[in-house]
Amino acid sequence: MSIRCGKFALSLAKSAVSAFRNYSHLASNGPKLFASAAHQSPLVPVRFANNLFWEKDRKGGYDTKGSGGKKVSRKQLIVDGLKELREEFALFNQEWKEKLASDPLVVFRPGETDVVFNFECEKDLDRWVVTTDKDHNEGFTEAKLELSPAGFGCFHGTLESRVPKDGRIKRSGYANIRSVRLRKSFKRDAFYDWEQYNTLVMRVRGDGRSYLINLASEGYFDILWNDIYHYVLFTRGGPHWQYVRIPFSKFFLASKGRVQDSQGPVPLNRISSLGFSVGARGGHEGQFRLEFDYIGVEYDPSHREEFAYEMYKQPKYIVAT
């Protein structure tokens, strides 16, 4: 009996030593973590434990409003809300007009492209948001979305992989455009319903680079907030335009830049935004330029594929399966 107890104590000691080795980096950074967490809120003792399984911010902590962390007073919120009330009622009126004027007998027409995004005027460009690593003090890349002299949307800029000397950023050099989140009146979220289509169609003119197409499908729970379906847009460069047709079955699922093991078709009835990204990884620094004529969707009756990749069945105890 004493020998068994001795072996059990020895195994406990070994597991304790291995656990200490695995989490020793957290112990060495303990004062910094506790200090940063105490500065934010006295109710959260450890910073890494707060974001381990739950995310309270859909933007991952990035300041998108440019307020610098300043709180807006309740009085100012009420004033801003009253200013937007007229706009919300106009949007509500437009929703009912579209609902009453819609004809349920009119369905999608095979072979015809329904344009979703145009790039003809400045108002069309307001439907997009441009972000780079420089916007969050994580790099020096610059990018813009402007109208070209010929009247097309032009996403251009300069990629730089140089990182700031702050000891925090290891890699940089990216630019991205993303469509503004579709919403209904009174701040209600809405989605693009492309379930009756199976192909993404666009007319673009690139510079020979490869761009990443991002189809965001934001879910209800926090673990699904960053679900994005990707596919590569290959451009050939030169003065000629190219017509791009990509079936939705070719897009693969990733979350926070990591391709997921559990794959499946794109939920086309819950598309929250469309975006394009370009990076400087692999020494591809310098200027970039991508012009858009239009972006639309189409139903191709000859395309029968539902999903182009293998769908592995994961065990139930694995997270996000």
Side-chain angles (χ1 to χ4, degrees):
M1 183 69 180
S2 60
I3 296 176
R4 292 181 178 179
C5 293
K7 290 183 178 180
F8 180 72
L10 182 59
S11 63
L12 285 178
K14 289 181 179 180
S15 60
V17 171
S18 62
F20 176 77
R21 290 177 179 175
N22 293 334
Y23 296 98
S24 59
H25 65 286
L26 298 178
S28 61
N29 296 331
K32 297 180 180 179
L33 294 171
F34 275 87
S36 60
H39 178 70
Q40 293 179 354
S41 174
L43 300 178
V44 184
V46 184
R47 185 175 180 179
F48 64 86
N50 185 30
N51 297 328
L52 189 58
F53 296 108
W54 173 65
E55 294 187 29
K56 63 179 180 180
D57 186 9
R58 291 178 180 266
K59 298 297 183 181
Y62 285 93
D63 181 25
T64 57
K65 297 182 179 179
S67 59
K70 297 180 181 179
K71 293 184 178 180
V72 183
S73 64
R74 185 169 298 178
K75 179 181 178 181
Q76 186 63 33
L77 290 175
I78 295 175
V79 173
D80 295 340
L82 292 176
K83 290 180 180 179
E84 295 182 4
L85 194 59
R86 179 180 297 178
E87 180 183 351
E88 297 300 326
F89 273 112
L91 188 58
F92 181 74
N93 187 23
Q94 183 66 24
E95 289 177 14
W96 275 100
K97 284 184 178 180
E98 293 179 357
K99 183 176 294 187
L100 295 175
S102 61
D103 188 355
L105 297 178
V106 177
V107 295
F108 58 92
R109 298 163 300 279
E112 293 188 8
T113 302
D114 291 337
V115 177
V116 182
F117 298 100
N118 274 316
F119 300 86
E120 299 176 350
C121 58
E122 292 291 341
K123 188 177 180 180
D124 294 334
L125 301 185
D126 293 338
R127 300 176 62 186
W128 298 85
V129 177
V130 182
T131 56
T132 64
D133 49 23
K134 187 177 181 180
D135 297 333
H136 306 292
N137 298 323
E138 295 180 351
F140 303 94
T141 300
E142 296 183 354
K144 293 181 181 180
L145 178 62
E146 299 175 329
L147 285 177
S148 66
F152 302 104
C154 182
F155 175 46
H156 66 99
T158 304
L159 291 170
E160 290 194 29
S161 59
R162 179 166 52 99
V163 298
K165 297 181 180 180
D166 55 1
R168 182 174 59 94
I169 305 301
K170 297 181 180 179
R171 293 183 297 270
S172 66
Y174 72 88
N176 178 74
I177 57 171
R178 183 174 181 173
S179 62
V180 177
R181 175 65 186 270
L182 190 67
R183 70 175 183 87
K184 299 179 182 178
S185 58
F186 302 106
K187 308 299 182 181
R188 294 176 298 160
D189 290 336
F191 299 91
Y192 292 102
D193 189 359
W194 297 342
E195 199 169 14
Q196 65 269 30
Y197 305 98
N198 60 6
T199 307
L200 181 68
V201 183
M202 64 186 77
R203 184 172 183 259
V204 298
R205 180 164 58 182
D207 53 0
R209 290 179 179 267
S210 297
Y211 296 81
L212 193 64
I213 308 175
N214 311 313
L215 284 177
S217 177
E218 186 177 302
Y220 179 78
F221 298 100
D222 58 349
I223 198 173
L224 307 175
W225 285 349
N226 299 284
D227 282 2
I228 301 179
Y229 292 82
H230 302 282
Y231 196 74
V232 182
L233 171 63
F234 299 99
T235 62
R236 55 172 175 252
H240 302 291
W241 291 86
Q242 61 183 101
Y243 290 90
V244 181
R245 297 168 52 86
I246 303 175
F248 289 118
S249 60
K250 303 296 183 182
F251 286 80
F252 56 89
L253 174 63
S255 180
K256 294 184 178 180
R258 294 177 176 88
V259 180
Q260 302 298 294
D261 292 330
S262 180
Q263 293 286 333
V266 182
L268 295 174
N269 60 336
R270 289 185 59 88
I271 301 299
S272 56
S273 65
L274 170 67
F276 298 86
S277 302
V278 60
R281 194 170 183 178
H284 297 91
E285 297 181 328
Q287 296 182 352
F288 67 91
R289 183 184 181 91
L290 179 63
E291 290 186 76
F292 296 94
D293 186 8
Y294 63 85
I295 301 174
V297 288
E298 180 183 316
Y299 173 71
D300 184 4
S302 63
H303 183 76
R304 302 296 180 86
E305 185 181 54
E306 295 183 2
F307 194 62
Y309 311 102
E310 296 185 38
M311 293 181 288
Y312 298 98
K313 188 175 181 181
Q314 299 291 339
K316 294 298 182 182
Y317 58 82
I318 297 181
V319 177
T321 57

